[in-house]
Amino acid sequence: MSLLPPQIQQTIEEFSKLPGIGPKSAERLTFHLLRSSKASPEGLGRSLVQLKTELKYCSDCEMVTLQDKCPICTDSSRDRSTILVVEDPLDVIAFERASYKGVYHVLHGVLSPIDGMGPQQLKLAELLQRCRAGGVDEVIVATNPDIEGEATATYIRQQLEGIVFKVTRLAHGLPMGADIEFADQVTLKESLAGRRSL
Ligand SMILES: [Zn+2]
Protein backbone atom coordinates (compact mmCIF):
# COMPACT_ATOMS: atom_id res chain seq x y z
CA MET A 1 0.00 0.00 0.00
CA SER A 2 1.24 3.43 -0.87
CA LEU A 3 2.10 5.84 1.91
CA LEU A 4 1.21 8.76 -0.32
CA PRO A 5 -2.30 10.22 -0.10
CA PRO A 6 -4.41 9.42 -3.20
CA GLN A 7 -4.54 13.12 -4.17
CA ILE A 8 -0.78 13.06 -4.70
CA GLN A 9 -0.90 9.74 -6.54
CA GLN A 10 -3.62 11.04 -8.86
CA THR A 11 -1.73 14.24 -9.62
CA ILE A 12 1.42 12.24 -10.41
CA GLU A 13 -0.59 9.94 -12.67
CA GLU A 14 -2.14 12.90 -14.54
CA PHE A 15 1.25 14.55 -15.08
CA SER A 16 2.65 11.21 -16.31
CA LYS A 17 0.10 11.20 -19.16
CA LEU A 18 1.72 14.32 -20.66
CA PRO A 19 4.29 13.91 -23.46
CA GLY A 20 7.90 13.97 -22.31
CA ILE A 21 6.99 13.61 -18.62
CA GLY A 22 8.26 10.42 -17.03
CA PRO A 23 7.31 9.20 -13.53
CA LYS A 24 10.22 11.07 -11.90
CA SER A 25 9.34 14.39 -13.52
CA ALA A 26 5.68 13.86 -12.64
CA GLU A 27 6.62 13.42 -8.98
CA ARG A 28 8.84 16.48 -9.04
CA LEU A 29 6.10 18.65 -10.61
CA THR A 30 3.53 17.41 -8.12
CA PHE A 31 5.67 18.18 -5.09
CA HIS A 32 6.72 21.50 -6.58
CA LEU A 33 3.05 22.53 -6.83
CA LEU A 34 2.47 21.35 -3.29
CA ARG A 35 5.40 23.24 -1.75
CA SER A 36 5.97 26.30 -3.91
CA SER A 37 4.52 29.59 -2.83
CA LYS A 38 4.69 30.93 -6.40
CA ALA A 39 3.07 28.05 -8.28
CA SER A 40 -0.70 28.25 -8.10
CA PRO A 41 -2.52 24.90 -8.38
CA GLU A 42 -5.85 26.80 -8.47
CA GLY A 43 -4.70 28.95 -11.40
CA LEU A 44 -3.27 25.93 -13.19
CA GLY A 45 -6.46 23.95 -12.66
CA ARG A 46 -8.62 26.83 -13.88
CA SER A 47 -6.49 27.35 -17.01
CA LEU A 48 -6.61 23.65 -17.84
CA VAL A 49 -10.39 23.49 -17.47
CA GLN A 50 -10.82 26.63 -19.63
CA LEU A 51 -8.45 25.14 -22.21
CA LYS A 52 -10.77 22.21 -22.72
CA THR A 53 -14.14 23.90 -22.28
CA GLU A 54 -13.82 27.36 -23.84
CA LEU A 55 -11.46 26.87 -26.76
CA LYS A 56 -12.59 25.56 -30.12
CA TYR A 57 -10.98 24.78 -33.44
CA CYS A 58 -11.84 27.14 -36.32
CA SER A 59 -14.37 25.43 -38.59
CA ASP A 60 -12.31 26.51 -41.63
CA CYS A 61 -8.63 26.30 -40.71
CA GLU A 62 -8.53 24.35 -37.39
CA MET A 63 -6.68 27.17 -35.59
CA VAL A 64 -7.53 27.48 -31.88
CA THR A 65 -10.17 30.15 -31.37
CA LEU A 66 -13.00 31.26 -29.10
CA GLN A 67 -15.52 31.59 -31.95
CA ASP A 68 -16.72 29.26 -34.70
CA LYS A 69 -14.23 30.88 -37.09
CA CYS A 70 -10.88 32.41 -36.20
CA PRO A 71 -10.10 36.14 -36.80
CA ILE A 72 -7.91 35.26 -39.82
CA CYS A 73 -10.67 33.32 -41.61
CA THR A 74 -13.21 36.08 -40.96
CA ASP A 75 -10.83 38.80 -42.24
CA SER A 76 -12.09 39.68 -45.74
CA SER A 77 -8.72 41.18 -46.74
CA ARG A 78 -6.99 37.76 -46.60
CA ASP A 79 -6.30 35.85 -49.80
CA ARG A 80 -8.45 32.73 -49.46
CA SER A 81 -7.05 31.15 -52.62
CA THR A 82 -3.72 30.40 -50.90
CA ILE A 83 -3.63 27.94 -48.01
CA LEU A 84 -0.50 27.57 -45.90
CA VAL A 85 -0.48 24.18 -44.17
CA VAL A 86 1.26 24.11 -40.77
CA GLU A 87 1.76 21.57 -38.00
CA ASP A 88 0.72 23.61 -34.98
CA PRO A 89 -1.15 26.78 -33.97
CA LEU A 90 2.16 28.36 -32.89
CA ASP A 91 3.39 28.11 -36.50
CA VAL A 92 0.46 30.36 -37.50
CA ILE A 93 1.74 32.98 -35.06
CA ALA A 94 5.22 32.68 -36.61
CA PHE A 95 3.93 33.21 -40.18
CA GLU A 96 1.76 36.11 -39.07
CA ARG A 97 4.97 37.82 -37.95
CA ALA A 98 6.37 37.12 -41.44
CA SER A 99 3.50 39.15 -43.05
CA TYR A 100 1.85 36.19 -44.82
CA LYS A 101 -1.47 37.32 -46.33
CA GLY A 102 -3.22 34.08 -47.27
CA VAL A 103 -5.10 31.71 -44.98
CA TYR A 104 -3.93 28.65 -43.05
CA HIS A 105 -4.73 25.04 -42.31
CA VAL A 106 -3.47 23.61 -39.01
CA LEU A 107 -2.83 19.85 -39.11
CA HIS A 108 -2.30 19.47 -35.34
CA GLY A 109 0.67 17.19 -35.79
CA VAL A 110 2.60 15.31 -38.47
CA LEU A 111 2.61 11.75 -39.72
CA SER A 112 4.66 9.73 -37.24
CA PRO A 113 3.79 6.02 -37.05
CA ILE A 114 6.07 5.54 -34.05
CA ASP A 115 3.95 8.03 -32.06
CA GLY A 116 0.69 6.58 -33.36
CA MET A 117 0.10 9.58 -35.65
CA GLY A 118 -1.49 8.45 -38.92
CA PRO A 119 -3.55 10.44 -41.44
CA GLN A 120 -6.67 9.92 -39.30
CA GLN A 121 -5.08 11.67 -36.32
CA LEU A 122 -4.34 14.82 -38.35
CA LYS A 123 -6.78 17.40 -39.74
CA LEU A 124 -6.12 16.09 -43.24
CA ALA A 125 -9.65 15.13 -44.26
CA GLU A 126 -10.66 18.69 -43.38
CA LEU A 127 -7.92 20.07 -45.66
CA LEU A 128 -9.03 17.87 -48.56
CA GLN A 129 -12.63 18.92 -48.04
CA ARG A 130 -11.65 22.59 -48.14
CA CYS A 131 -9.67 22.10 -51.33
CA ARG A 132 -12.44 20.07 -52.98
CA ALA A 133 -14.88 22.88 -52.25
CA GLY A 134 -12.89 24.91 -54.81
CA GLY A 135 -11.40 28.38 -54.94
CA VAL A 136 -7.95 27.20 -53.86
CA ASP A 137 -5.15 28.09 -56.28
CA GLU A 138 -2.17 27.10 -54.17
CA VAL A 139 -1.41 24.98 -51.12
CA ILE A 140 1.93 25.76 -49.47
CA VAL A 141 3.09 22.93 -47.24
CA ALA A 142 5.01 24.42 -44.31
CA THR A 143 5.59 21.39 -42.12
CA ASN A 144 8.96 21.40 -40.35
CA PRO A 145 12.00 20.37 -42.44
CA ASP A 146 12.58 17.08 -40.60
CA ILE A 147 11.82 13.45 -41.48
CA GLU A 148 8.19 13.51 -40.28
CA GLY A 149 7.56 16.93 -41.82
CA GLU A 150 8.94 15.84 -45.22
CA ALA A 151 6.93 12.58 -45.16
CA THR A 152 3.79 14.54 -44.32
CA ALA A 153 4.46 17.02 -47.15
CA THR A 154 4.85 14.18 -49.67
CA TYR A 155 1.65 12.56 -48.42
CA ILE A 156 -0.28 15.83 -48.75
CA ARG A 157 0.99 16.35 -52.29
CA GLN A 158 -0.20 12.84 -53.25
CA GLN A 159 -3.59 13.44 -51.67
CA LEU A 160 -4.05 16.77 -53.44
CA GLU A 161 -3.19 15.42 -56.86
CA GLY A 162 -5.98 16.30 -59.27
CA ILE A 163 -7.59 18.59 -56.68
CA VAL A 164 -5.13 21.48 -56.38
CA PHE A 165 -2.84 22.21 -59.30
CA LYS A 166 -0.15 24.12 -57.42
CA VAL A 167 1.26 22.46 -54.29
CA THR A 168 4.46 24.06 -53.02
CA ARG A 169 6.95 23.53 -50.21
CA LEU A 170 8.93 26.17 -48.32
CA ALA A 171 12.38 26.87 -49.73
CA HIS A 172 15.42 25.46 -48.00
CA GLY A 173 16.24 28.67 -46.15
CA LEU A 174 15.24 26.59 -43.17
CA PRO A 175 17.91 24.11 -42.14
CA MET A 176 16.95 20.42 -41.89
CA GLY A 177 15.64 19.71 -38.42
CA ALA A 178 14.61 23.35 -37.84
CA ASP A 179 11.48 24.20 -35.90
CA ILE A 180 9.26 26.73 -37.71
CA GLU A 181 7.81 27.94 -34.45
CA PHE A 182 11.22 29.34 -33.48
CA ALA A 183 12.41 30.53 -36.90
CA ASP A 184 13.01 34.26 -37.27
CA GLN A 185 10.77 36.31 -39.55
CA VAL A 186 13.45 37.02 -42.19
CA THR A 187 14.12 33.29 -42.66
CA LEU A 188 10.40 32.55 -42.86
CA LYS A 189 9.79 35.36 -45.37
CA GLU A 190 12.63 34.06 -47.55
CA SER A 191 11.51 30.47 -47.37
CA LEU A 192 7.99 31.55 -48.38
CA ALA A 193 9.23 33.69 -51.26
CA GLY A 194 11.47 30.88 -52.57
CA ARG A 195 8.91 28.07 -52.26
CA ARG A 196 9.17 25.31 -54.83
CA SER A 197 6.79 22.86 -56.45
CA LEU A 198 6.22 19.73 -54.43
ZN1 LIG B 1 -9.61 29.92 -39.26
Side-chain angles (χ1 to χ4, degrees), residues 177-197:
D179 197 327
I180 284 173
E181 184 188 330
F182 300 111
D184 66 276
Q185 60 192 69
V186 176
T187 307
L188 281 186
K189 262 185 192 170
E190 280 173 3
S191 62
L192 255 179
R195 63 186 182 269
R196 59 194 158 83
S197 276

Side-chain angles (χ1 to χ4, degrees), residues 85-137:
V85 179
V86 295
E87 294 180 19
D88 290 311
L90 286 173
D91 296 332
V92 170
I93 309 300
F95 279 106
E96 284 299 285
R97 286 196 297 264
S99 316
Y100 169 70
K101 293 293 175 224
V103 290
Y104 297 92
H105 191 89
V106 185
L107 293 173
H108 293 280
V110 273
L111 294 177
S112 178
I114 207 163
D115 301 314
M117 295 294 282
Q120 306 298 326
Q121 279 68 47
L122 305 179
K123 301 287 185 186
L124 271 171
E126 291 81 354
L127 173 65
L128 293 182
Q129 199 181 359
R130 267 179 98 182
C131 294
R132 280 201 194 99
V136 180
D137 294 333

Side-chain angles (χ1 to χ4, degrees), residues 41-175:
E42 298 82 9
L44 181 65
R46 221 174 15 249
S47 303
L48 291 175
V49 170
Q50 284 169 348
L51 194 69
K52 289 299 255 188
T53 56
E54 293 178 15
L55 286 173
K56 302 172 185 159
Y57 294 120
C58 172
S59 58
D60 277 355
C61 74
E62 308 294 337
M63 177 64 174
V64 281
T65 177
L66 291 171
Q67 315 291 334
D68 175 51
K69 289 187 197 296
C70 75
I72 294 169
C73 289
T74 49
D75 181 348
S76 58
S77 72
R78 307 290 295 224
D79 169 17
R80 301 188 63 81
S81 70
T82 306
I83 298 180
L84 183 68
V85 179
V86 295
E87 294 180 19
D88 290 311
L90 286 173
D91 296 332
V92 170
I93 309 300
F95 279 106
E96 284 299 285
R97 286 196 297 264
S99 316
Y100 169 70
K101 293 293 175 224
V103 290
Y104 297 92
H105 191 89
V106 185
L107 293 173
H108 293 280
V110 273
L111 294 177
S112 178
I114 207 163
D115 301 314
M117 295 294 282
Q120 306 298 326
Q121 279 68 47
L122 305 179
K123 301 287 185 186
L124 271 171
E126 291 81 354
L127 173 65
L128 293 182
Q129 199 181 359
R130 267 179 98 182
C131 294
R132 280 201 194 99
V136 180
D137 294 333
E138 182 179 2
V139 169
I140 308 167
V141 185
T143 46
N144 282 328
D146 51 26
I147 292 167
E148 290 86 5
E150 294 299 338
T152 307
T154 305
Y155 184 82
I156 290 174
R157 178 183 48 74
Q158 288 163 350
Q159 295 293 307
L160 289 178
E161 220 158 272
I163 302 172
V164 178
F165 177 66
K166 198 173 173 191
V167 180
T168 53
R169 181 95 175 101
L170 292 185
H172 276 306
L174 290 163

